[in-house]
């Protein structure tokens, strides 16, 4: 551990210790999330019985009701219910969904890939569009092109996602005469071509707002970096402008974009509900929202715990990527 | 000043009072045409929205809540209905105006509440390192790890849907960002000389927090407020999509946008107008936020 800071070798032992610390910091967060969700879902009036039977639940006799409650384990004290569920969760068993009759882990495993694919496609599209446009806008600062990019970015930020999705569906159906996802959803491993055709418009809808923030972030951090001394030095050495921008400026300018991607990825994985509904995709967001309205306690608890874990893991990943791209950052404390 | 005075002397002129941050910001804002335009548009929208009870009764002569089914889904420019009618035959323009009143009120009050909670929590965290800071950090990280949409669903299932309930729901689920911001800014200022001076003079912790630190945070809070109002306007339409927003017949831009989605082929203008108003309002708020940021940034040159 005596290695000096200026040395070229990465500070691996520090990274490992940092990782361990962060993984430990995980636990209180996950406990907090599970407690919060566990309490919140039980505070909502109605339970799985009323949610399933609707008004007919009123026709149940007290004995029938009690037996249903004990069947679902709802007659136990709340603390015991939590303890049982948490004990299972530690071993990777999130319980059985009351509505679907399947293990919660199986349902998540079934739905999460769709949401993940959607989020990955949206982020990829956003980066492919946002970074080049952001760079060009910064390089051609205060030109018509710059103005155009800034307006485009603002449009992406200020339009509700629902509106963008509806506009896309409207254009597709009236101008091109096709309805996205009129048929059944096909998974990527079943038919990659059809799957991509079904996913591309939801991904564009989802990626639109994000590409706007990528554009803005790239442009402003690029502008900042372009004024730095080391960029002037690079230019002074007689390097071609293209090389100055791609080799020198861009690397530093992209650091804030990494954070942005991390944060946004977390939100996208948890918040694609509207897009999933609009384009009828069987993703995690819809599963969870339906589970809340069906008072499917095990599924709500399991799915939110899963989403929170993914969110925290992505944040950890971003911190590590940070250290890789920015040598000034070290985690040795 | 005499024409012969050199520039150097002008800078040292003892009679010239240095301008405060706020004076300089206001004079910069006066020259920022884009921001002024955004402020003008926002002011006009607010006047029309908050004046909607009068405008609807005396200028348009219609009731935004009264159905008139024979005249449903009229297009733009229909006689007596400038922007057409909705699926129940209600005047679209009148509903847009009175929906604006509800949407803007929800957004403004939610953003103020978010800022209020964030301000108090952030100041306390910034000034109480140790256990208090740790506990709030844990709470904030926990809340942030959950997508806010699901928290919103859970909390709104507890309350009867109404504009007031919506404000409360949005505030209790969205204050973490503001708290983080205030905490960071407080910590950055905590060790500065003027705080040290106040402490040396025997000022209490609360006095330092609210009399010395708070005024220096106002510009950041003003920026955060404008952007926050825009965020809530967008969130309100998302909540309407989940059927958790303000319930009909009360119009808001969000529920007007969402509820007309099944008419996207027969009457696309019903989606277009609320969508456009939401976008324009959020756009103006963002432009205003950017303008305020530039105006208050001491690095910006005059």
């Amino acid at each position: 551990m005596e290695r000096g800071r200026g040395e070229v070798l990465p500070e691996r032992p520090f990274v490992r210790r940092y990782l361990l610390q962060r993984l430990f910091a995980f636990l209180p967060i996950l406990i907090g999330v599970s407690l919060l969700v566990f309490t919140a879902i039980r505070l909502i009036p109605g339970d799985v019985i009323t949610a399933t039977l609707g008004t007919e639940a009123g026709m149940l006799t007290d004995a029938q009701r009690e037996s249903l409650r004990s069947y679902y384990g709802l007659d136990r004290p709340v603390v015991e219910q939590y303890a049982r569920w948490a004990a299972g969760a530690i071993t990777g068993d999130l319980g059985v969904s009351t509505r679907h009759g399947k293990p919660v882990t199986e349902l998540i495993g079934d739905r999460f890939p769709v949401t993940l694919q959607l989020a990955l496609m949206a982020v990829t599209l956003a980066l492919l569009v946002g970074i080049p446009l952001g760079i060009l806008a910064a390089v051609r600062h205060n030109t018509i092109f710059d103005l155009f990019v800034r307006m485009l970015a603002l449009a992406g930020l200020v339009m509700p996602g629902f509106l963008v999705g509806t506009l896309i569906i409207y254009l597709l159906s009236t101008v091109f005469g096709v309805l996205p996802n009129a048929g059944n959803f096909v998974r990527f491993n079943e038919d990659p071509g059809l799957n991509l055709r079904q996913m591309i418009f939801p991904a564009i809808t989802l990626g639109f707002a994000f590409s706007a923030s990528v554009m803005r972030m790239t442009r402003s951090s690029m502008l900042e970096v372009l004024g730095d001394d080391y960029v002037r030095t690079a230019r002074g050495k007689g390097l071609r402008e293209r090389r100055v921008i791609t080799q020198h400026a861009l690397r530093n300018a992209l650091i804030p974009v990494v954070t942005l991607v991390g944060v946004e990825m977390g939100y996208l994985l948890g918040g694609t509900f509207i897009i999933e509904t609009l384009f009828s995709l069987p993703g995690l967001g819809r599963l969870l929202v339906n589970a809340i309205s069906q008072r499917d306690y095990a599924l709500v608890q399991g799915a939110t715990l899963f989403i929170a874990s993914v969110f925290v893991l992505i944040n950890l990943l971003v911190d590590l990527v940070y250290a890789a791209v920015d040598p000034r950052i070290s985690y040795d404390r | 000043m005499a024409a012969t005075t050199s520039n150097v002397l002008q800078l040292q002129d003892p009679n010239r009072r240095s301008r405060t941050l706020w004076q300089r910001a206001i004079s910069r804002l006066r020259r920022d045409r884009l921001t002024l335009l955004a402020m003008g548009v926002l002011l006009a929208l607010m006047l029309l929205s908050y004046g909607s009870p009068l405008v609807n009764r005396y200028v348009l002569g219609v009731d935004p809540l009264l159905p008139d089914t024979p005249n449903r889904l009229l297009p733009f420019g229909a006689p007596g209905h400038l922007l057409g009618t909705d699926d129940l035959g209600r005047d679209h323009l009148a509903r847009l105006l009175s929906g604006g009143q509800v949407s803007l009120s929800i957004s403004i009050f939610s953003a103020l509440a978010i800022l209020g909670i964030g301000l108090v929590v952030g100041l306390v965290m910034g000034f109480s390192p140790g256990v208090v800071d740790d506990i709030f950090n844990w709470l904030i990280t926990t809340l942030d790890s959950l997508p806010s949409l699901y928290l919103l669903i859970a909390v709104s299932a507890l309350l009867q849907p109404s504009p007031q309930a919506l404000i409360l729901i949005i505030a209790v689920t969205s204050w973490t960002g503001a708290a983080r911001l205030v905490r960071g800014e407080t910590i950055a200022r905590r060790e500065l000389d003027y705080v040290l001076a106040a402490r040396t003079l025997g000022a209490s912790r609360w006095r330092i927090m609210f009399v010395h630190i708070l005024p220096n945070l106002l510009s950041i809070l003003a920026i955060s407020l404008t952007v926050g109002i825009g965020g809530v306007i967008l969130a309100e339409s998302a909540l309407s999509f989940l059927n958790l927003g303000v319930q009909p017949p009360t119009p808001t831009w969000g529920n007007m946008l969402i509820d007309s989605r099944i008419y996207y082929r027969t009457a696309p203008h019903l989606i277009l107008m609320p969508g456009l108003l939401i976008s324009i309002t959020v756009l103006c708020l963002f432009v205003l936020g950017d303008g305020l940021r530039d105006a208050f940034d001491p690095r910006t040159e005059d």
Side-chain angles (χ1 to χ4, degrees):
Chain A
M1 308 269 172
E2 295 299 308
R3 203 178 278 148
R5 270 202 180 193
E7 229 164 301
V8 188
L9 279 171
E11 302 166 82
R12 286 207 177 279
F14 294 131
V15 171
R16 195 172 305 146
R17 197 202 298 159
Y18 173 76
L19 248 172
L20 274 175
Q21 274 172 4
R22 283 291 297 260
L23 284 174
F24 270 117
F26 240 41
L27 272 178
I29 296 172
L30 292 187
I31 292 173
V33 166
S34 65
L35 277 173
L36 194 71
V37 171
F38 194 90
T39 323
I41 185 77
R42 275 166 180 72
L43 282 175
I44 303 178
D47 55 18
V48 63
I49 302 164
T50 52
T52 315
L53 296 178
T55 47
E56 288 168 38
M59 288 154 71
L60 291 171
T61 63
D62 283 351
Q64 285 171 320
R65 209 184 153 74
E66 264 324 295
S67 79
L68 273 174
R69 280 177 64 83
S70 90
Y71 174 75
Y72 289 120
L74 297 174
D75 54 338
R76 304 263 151 207
V78 178
V79 179
E80 189 190 323
Q81 289 183 37
Y82 180 77
R84 273 190 187 200
W85 177 78
I90 292 169
T91 60
D93 171 17
L94 293 174
V96 177
S97 151
T98 43
R99 175 53 74 99
H100 300 264
K102 288 181 189 166
V104 170
T105 41
E106 191 189 312
L107 287 167
I108 294 175
D110 185 49
R111 299 296 194 91
F112 181 61
V114 179
T115 302
L116 181 67
Q117 189 195 352
L118 186 60
L120 284 177
M121 282 176 73
V123 168
T124 312
L125 283 173
L127 291 179
L128 282 179
V129 174
I131 293 180
L133 283 183
I135 295 172
L136 282 176
V139 171
R140 302 184 190 168
H141 185 42
N142 283 337
T143 61
I144 294 281
F145 181 80
D146 184 23
L147 191 73
F148 169 73
V149 169
R150 285 167 71 186
M151 288 295 131
L152 195 69
L154 273 176
L157 285 182
V158 303
M159 282 166 77
F162 166 79
L163 184 64
V164 180
T166 311
L167 281 178
I168 288 180
I169 293 181
Y170 177 73
L171 283 179
L172 285 176
S173 61
T174 54
V175 181
F176 300 101
V178 284
L179 261 182
N181 304 352
N184 283 331
F185 179 73
V186 178
R187 276 158 198 277
F188 187 74
N189 50 4
E190 290 164 0
D191 182 349
L194 184 57
N195 169 275
L196 286 181
R197 250 177 288 152
Q198 286 182 337
M199 291 290 264
I200 187 72
F201 293 109
I204 290 175
T205 311
L206 198 56
F208 186 57
F210 183 46
S211 72
S213 19
V214 170
M215 243 183 263
R216 269 165 75 101
M217 187 63 94
T218 311
R219 177 179 170 277
S220 68
S221 76
M222 196 73 185
L223 278 177
E224 205 162 294
V225 167
L226 283 178
D228 277 357
D229 285 344
Y230 80 96
V231 171
R232 200 179 333 157
T233 310
R235 282 182 180 144
K237 282 195 302 188
L239 283 183
R240 291 227 308 274
E241 187 63 18
R242 193 186 184 81
R243 205 176 147 78
V244 173
I245 285 165
T246 55
Q247 301 286 314
H248 294 254
L250 188 59
R251 301 183 101 188
N252 283 336
L254 284 187
I255 292 172
V257 180
V258 173
T259 328
L260 194 65
V261 171
V263 172
E264 196 67 24
M265 193 70 194
Y267 285 127
L268 287 185
L269 287 176
T272 54
F273 167 74
I274 290 178
I275 307 295
E276 284 169 14
T277 310
L278 216 50
F279 290 91
S280 36
L281 299 172
L284 195 58
R286 270 172 81 197
L287 182 75
L288 180 51
V289 171
N290 290 336
I292 295 177
S293 62
Q294 290 156 357
R295 308 289 185 273
D296 194 338
Y297 293 169
L299 186 52
V300 174
Q301 287 156 208
T304 40
L305 190 70
F306 177 77
I307 291 175
S309 316
V310 171
F311 187 84
V312 179
L313 271 176
I314 287 178
N315 277 328
L316 181 61
L317 209 66
V318 169
D319 281 356
L320 293 179
V321 172
Y322 244 14
V325 293
D326 189 346
R328 288 170 302 182
I329 297 172
S330 65
Y331 295 117
D332 55 349
R333 214 159 289 158
Chain B
M1 202 158 289
T4 48
T5 324
S6 73
N7 281 329
V8 182
L9 277 178
Q10 264 186 34
L11 282 174
Q12 291 169 339
D13 180 3
N15 295 322
R16 190 182 153 187
R17 286 187 55 203
S18 71
R19 292 187 299 170
T20 66
L21 181 71
W22 285 77
Q23 286 170 334
R24 208 170 46 194
I26 288 167
S27 86
R28 271 181 195 154
L29 275 178
R30 276 205 192 125
R31 276 173 283 128
D32 186 350
R33 288 215 188 108
L34 188 63
T35 307
L36 287 179
L37 179 70
M39 284 165 91
V41 173
L42 284 174
L43 205 66
L45 280 172
M46 282 180 76
L47 275 177
L48 278 172
S49 297
Y50 283 95
S52 66
L54 296 174
V55 176
N56 287 344
R57 181 181 295 176
Y58 296 109
V59 183
L60 300 173
V62 287
D63 182 346
L65 301 181
L66 195 70
D68 175 23
T69 29
N71 288 319
R72 65 195 297 265
L73 299 179
L74 291 179
F76 277 172
H81 301 289
L82 195 59
L83 293 182
T85 55
D86 72 355
D87 54 328
L88 293 177
R90 298 170 293 197
D91 185 75
H92 196 40
L93 178 59
R95 282 181 70 75
L96 283 171
L97 293 181
S98 90
Q101 186 183 1
V102 184
S103 285
L104 288 174
S105 300
I106 291 175
S107 314
I108 293 169
F109 286 112
S110 301
L112 281 173
I114 288 170
L115 213 59
I117 303 176
L119 183 67
V120 173
V121 173
L123 276 175
V124 168
M125 284 174 82
F127 261 92
S128 325
V131 184
V132 177
D133 190 35
D134 285 345
I135 289 176
F136 275 113
N137 257 329
W138 169 76
L139 187 64
I140 287 177
T141 328
T142 301
L143 284 174
D144 281 353
S145 311
L146 272 170
S148 55
L149 198 61
Y150 304 114
L151 274 180
L152 285 169
I153 297 173
V155 183
S156 41
L158 288 173
L159 299 164
Q160 285 300 95
S162 71
Q164 290 82 355
L166 210 57
I167 293 170
L168 188 71
I169 290 165
I170 294 174
V172 296
T173 51
S174 327
W175 55 272
T176 52
R180 275 174 193 272
L181 177 77
V182 174
R183 175 182 177 268
E185 294 292 333
T186 308
I187 289 176
R189 283 171 173 73
R190 191 169 67 189
E191 307 299 333
L192 292 184
D193 286 347
Y194 73 89
V195 175
L196 190 68
R199 196 176 296 153
T200 318
L201 290 171
S204 73
R205 199 153 72 164
W206 292 97
R207 192 180 160 82
I208 294 175
M209 263 192 239
F210 286 99
V211 178
H212 297 279
I213 302 243
L214 182 60
N216 288 301
L217 297 180
L218 285 179
S219 60
I220 296 158
L221 295 177
I223 296 161
S224 152
L225 184 69
T226 54
V227 179
I229 296 174
V232 178
I233 293 183
L234 292 177
E236 195 257 321
S237 70
L239 277 176
S240 292
F241 187 77
L242 291 162
N243 210 9
L244 295 172
V246 175
Q247 300 299 310
T250 308
T252 69
W253 290 343
N255 71 21
M256 290 178 70
L257 173 69
I258 305 292
D259 292 344
S260 45
R261 70 175 178 276
I262 45 172
Y263 304 105
Y264 76 98
R265 297 192 73 145
T266 47
H269 62 284
L270 291 182
I271 299 178
L272 191 69
M273 287 312 293
L276 207 61
L277 281 176
I278 292 176
S279 306
I280 289 174
T281 311
V282 180
L283 177 70
C284 288
L285 286 164
F286 281 9
V287 168
L288 180 60
D290 277 354
L292 287 177
R293 187 170 297 138
D294 287 345
F296 279 110
D297 190 345
R299 287 174 300 180
T300 320
E301 286 159 30
D302 270 311

